Amino acid sequence: MDMLIVRGGERLSGCVPVSGAKNSALPLMAAALACEGETVLHSIPNLVDVSTQSQVLGSLGMQVNRDDAGALHLKTVDETSCIADYELVRRMRASVCVLGPLLAKRRMACVSLPGGCNIGDRPIDLHLKGLAALGAQIRVERGYVIARADRLRGANIFLGGAFGSTVTGTCNVMIAATLAQGTTTIESAACEPEVVDVGNFLNAAGAKIEGLGTPFLKIEGVDQLQGVEHEVIPDRIEVATLMIAAAITGGEVRLNQVRPDHITAIIEKLRDIGVQIELESPEQPARKQTILVKVVQPLKSVDCIALPYPGIPTDVQAQLMSLLACVPGISIVTDKVFPDRFMHASELARMGARIRRESASAILNGVTRLSGACVMASDLRASAALVLAGLAAEGETVIRRIYHLDRGYENLEEKLISLGARVQRVKDEPNNMPESLKLTDEESRPSYSELMEALTGPHWNQRSSVEPSESSNQTEAS
């Protein structure tokens, strides 16, 4: 297992390209199951999740090959298997997107309940509700969804949930509905660009979908979809992560191959914080645009709320917390998509961030500088947030369990290094721990006088970064 060592204090500058969107690539790969002939997907990022999805599709009789230009070629050669096994699906939630195309094309499916990042409760009840409305007979047994349908039929479907629409659920039901008999309407469909990208691919393959990008979809069923070539949209979450990397280091970074119209809410929030953002190539095609991100003035505290698109994505909430932890003043970050997605808060606190949880919100009292520490990544976006915090911290930061990072970012450390960051990937072994973070031998232990200085120094006049709540005090007393 690997870990990252980040040496903070470097101002990022330079230019990097943005990879294709992971959250679009995975359902697009699943959608190829519903197509006849070969599908070619361009700009698919080289990620662990893409490799996992390729293995899932391979187990379902599909050949998946990457050519020298980086494009994925997908073609079904055997339609006898309809089982997506637990050992593969448990690694990644998006694998459940094979359920819809299997039902539509092969009339049956047996798909393990999915795994993925630990960011709160994410049931697939809306997926199953939508597919059942199309006429599928569904039951859940021993951790598997088992579904059959002689022929799916169009229906009126409502996909709204307690915390908004479902992206993967919309993709699953939309793919299935393209091969259903008759007309399907989906109300409260997800509007995210990744859903639009999958819909555009399906339309190019012969589907008849109207209303993409709105909460109301109308789908006229067709008899067959034909494989086509399609280029995946840029990854808006990677764009946001790199923009925040520039901001947190006071840098100046150009990002190529960007869709600014997909990140409007993020751009406006960063501008509220005081980050200068310029669009440099408005005349270029949508995917080929360049944005310049730089810091020329002190940053300001703000309040942020993560919402379904077109709001600030929940997948950017953790990265924004890292930035705001370094901005003087009080900021409040609220997540209305996954209210429990704050496992990174305790790790940021290890680096000196002053954070207090209040239900679905985190209240941050910004500090002038974080300090390097050994921290643990809990999920994909938390990993990125801790890397960003390490870039801004004083000294060295070690981020462990970075296999999460490899699931969703293509060569993130190489891109940061090209911008001037000092990031090193090493084996997670004791002898690779930086000397500054070693406390295992007598020479590296702080002395008694150093510990007394830490306990009695003048910084105790400031407000503590860890503020126990009333409830926690009661628990201690009991």
Side-chain angles (χ1 to χ4, degrees):
M1 192 177 297
D2 293 342
M3 65 183 185
L4 288 185
I5 302 174
V6 181
R7 295 170 175 85
E10 300 297 329
R11 179 178 179 270
L12 300 190
S13 64
C15 181
V16 289
V18 173
S19 301
K22 173 190 88 90
N23 290 340
S24 181
L26 301 176
L28 280 168
M29 293 171 68
L33 276 171
C35 297
E36 305 290 341
E38 185 178 67
T39 293
V40 181
L41 299 175
H42 297 277
S43 300
I44 295 286
N46 191 8
L47 303 170
V48 170
D49 273 9
V50 169
S51 175
T52 300
Q53 188 77 315
S54 298
Q55 293 176 58
V56 172
L57 296 175
S59 72
L60 295 171
M62 177 169 277
Q63 288 182 347
V64 183
N65 298 298
R66 189 182 288 270
D67 64 24
D68 293 339
L72 278 190
H73 296 250
L74 304 98
K75 184 177 181 179
T76 299
V77 294
D78 182 0
E79 292 193 352
T80 57
S81 176
C82 297
I83 301 173
D85 191 63
Y86 167 77
E87 284 304 318
L88 291 172
V89 178
R90 69 180 177 86
R91 304 179 196 171
M92 183 185 66
R93 181 174 176 79
S95 297
V96 77
C97 278
V98 302
L99 184 58
L102 282 177
L103 261 177
K105 188 74 162 49
R106 304 184 189 179
R107 307 292 192 252
M108 62 182 67
C110 181
V111 179
S112 171
L113 291 170
C117 285
N118 181 19
I119 60 174
D121 192 27
R122 295 188 291 169
I124 62 166
D125 55 327
L126 293 176
H127 301 235
L128 305 186
K129 172 187 173 182
L131 295 172
L134 292 173
Q137 296 177 315
I138 301 173
R139 67 181 192 272
V140 178
E141 288 185 8
R142 288 182 276 183
Y144 283 81
V145 176
I146 302 171
R148 297 182 61 93
D150 291 334
R151 178 70 192 269
L152 297 178
R153 299 183 181 277
N156 299 322
I157 303 169
F158 178 76
L159 282 184
F163 300 107
S165 305
T166 164
V167 173
T168 52
T170 299
C171 290
N172 229 342
V173 177
M174 178 172 65
I175 296 168
T178 59
L179 293 177
Q181 189 175 38
T183 302
T184 298
T185 61
I186 301 177
E187 185 177 348
S188 198
C191 303
E192 274 74 1
E194 294 80 11
V195 175
V196 177
D197 198 25
V198 174
N200 287 336
F201 164 80
L202 292 169
N203 280 341
K208 298 178 180 179
I209 306 171
E210 299 176 3
L212 291 167
T214 78
F216 301 95
L217 299 182
K218 180 180 178 182
I219 306 168
E220 294 287 344
V222 298
D223 292 329
Q224 181 176 290
L225 298 176
Q226 190 67 38
V228 293
E229 291 197 33
H230 179 82
E231 184 169 15
V232 181
I233 59 174
D235 195 320
R236 62 194 174 107
I237 309 303
E238 182 185 324
V239 174
T241 302
L242 292 170
M243 291 169 71
I244 295 170
I248 205 169
T249 62
E252 182 173 333
V253 172
R254 282 178 172 82
L255 302 176
N256 292 332
Q257 301 174 19
V258 175
R259 286 284 302 265
D261 56 317
H262 289 172
I263 54 171
T264 302
I266 301 165
I267 289 174
E268 290 308 309
K269 186 55 65 175
L270 288 176
R271 284 174 173 164
D272 289 345
I273 295 170
V275 182
Q276 186 171 320
I277 301 171
E278 301 172 8
L279 178 60
E280 291 198 328
S281 53
E283 74 285 351
Q284 293 293 327
R287 184 186 164 80
K288 304 299 182 183
Q289 295 186 15
T290 299
I291 58 173
L292 172 65
V293 183
K294 61 182 178 180
V295 176
V296 296
Q297 62 186 3
L299 302 182
K300 301 171 292 186
S301 57
V302 298
D303 294 346
C304 299
I305 303 178
L307 295 165
Y309 189 82
I312 295 171
T314 180
D315 280 352
V316 182
Q317 176 256 103
Q319 298 92 308
L320 280 171
M321 275 187 64
S322 291
L323 174 60
L324 292 171
C326 305
V327 176
I330 303 294
S331 299
I332 301 176
V333 176
T334 303
D335 197 326
K336 292 197 172 182
V337 180
F338 293 116
D340 295 324
R341 192 176 192 171
F342 288 102
M343 294 183 70
H344 47 279
S346 59
E347 299 303 296
L348 290 173
R350 288 176 57 81
M351 302 178 69
R354 296 157 70 175
I355 304 171
R356 179 163 53 90
R357 276 288 308 278
E358 290 285 352
S359 187
S361 298
I363 302 169
L364 298 94
N365 190 350
V367 299
T368 54
R369 179 63 68 90
L370 299 173
S371 60
C374 186
V375 294
M376 192 83 71
S378 59
D379 60 75
L380 169 55
R381 306 307 173 183
S383 305
L386 295 174
V387 172
L388 297 180
L391 294 176
E394 188 175 62
E396 295 167 309
T397 298
V398 168
I399 300 110
R400 308 176 83 168
R401 296 206 308 197
I402 59 165
Y403 56 84
H404 290 294
L405 196 71
D406 297 333
R407 287 186 45 231
Y409 287 96
E410 185 177 40
N411 303 322
L412 180 62
E413 68 258 36
E414 284 86 351
K415 291 180 180 180
L416 292 173
I417 290 168
S418 74
L419 296 173
R422 294 190 294 169
V423 182
Q424 183 183 9
R425 180 183 288 253
V426 297
K427 291 293 182 183
D428 189 350
E429 299 172 351
N431 60 321
N432 286 329
M433 188 68 65
E435 291 298 323
S436 62
L437 296 176
K438 284 182 180 178
L439 295 175
T440 57
D441 55 61
E442 291 301 323
E443 290 185 2
S444 59
R445 284 186 190 278
S447 66
Y448 178 81
S449 60
E450 289 172 329
L451 288 172
M452 288 305 297
E453 171 65 21
L455 287 168
T456 61
H459 60 276
W460 283 102
N461 294 328
Q462 302 174 7
R463 191 176 175 88
S464 172
S465 63
V466 180
E467 302 175 10
S469 65
E470 184 177 329
S471 60
S472 66
N473 288 336
Q474 291 172 348
T475 302
E476 268 189 9
S478 62

